[in-house]
Amino acid sequence: MGELIETDIACPYCGEIISVSVELLDEPQEYIEDCQVCCQPIVFHVQDANNGSERVSVHSENETF
């Protein structure tokens, strides 16, 4: 089991800053979690940055990369 961290993110739908718990694993991960305020699905991308810190990015479900 990976390290569990708490971080603040801005919901891509309503713009509210919410606090979320994220598990850091040895490999990059992507998952969907609903916003605690507006209940819209937020796509999370979590990976280890090159300097040993975590990188958490979020986007709406209908954004493409």
Side-chain angles (χ1 to χ4, degrees), residues 26-38:
D26 291 337
E27 56 197 43
Q29 58 183 317
E30 179 179 293
Y31 64 92
I32 297 175
E33 185 173 319
D34 290 343
C35 174
Q36 302 160 2
V37 178
C38 70

Side-chain angles (χ1 to χ4, degrees), residues 4-58:
L4 195 62
I5 61 158
E6 188 140 334
T7 188
D8 293 333
I9 59 110
C11 174
Y13 296 95
C14 68
E16 287 289 324
I17 303 297
I18 57 174
S19 183
V20 295
S21 294
V22 175
E23 184 178 7
L24 297 179
L25 301 175
D26 291 337
E27 56 197 43
Q29 58 183 317
E30 179 179 293
Y31 64 92
I32 297 175
E33 185 173 319
D34 290 343
C35 174
Q36 302 160 2
V37 178
C38 70
C39 299
Q40 295 294 316
I42 302 171
V43 180
F44 284 77
H45 295 278
V46 182
Q47 63 185 34
D48 218 2
N50 291 335
N51 61 2
S53 66
E54 75 282 342
R55 180 171 169 250
V56 179
S57 60
V58 296

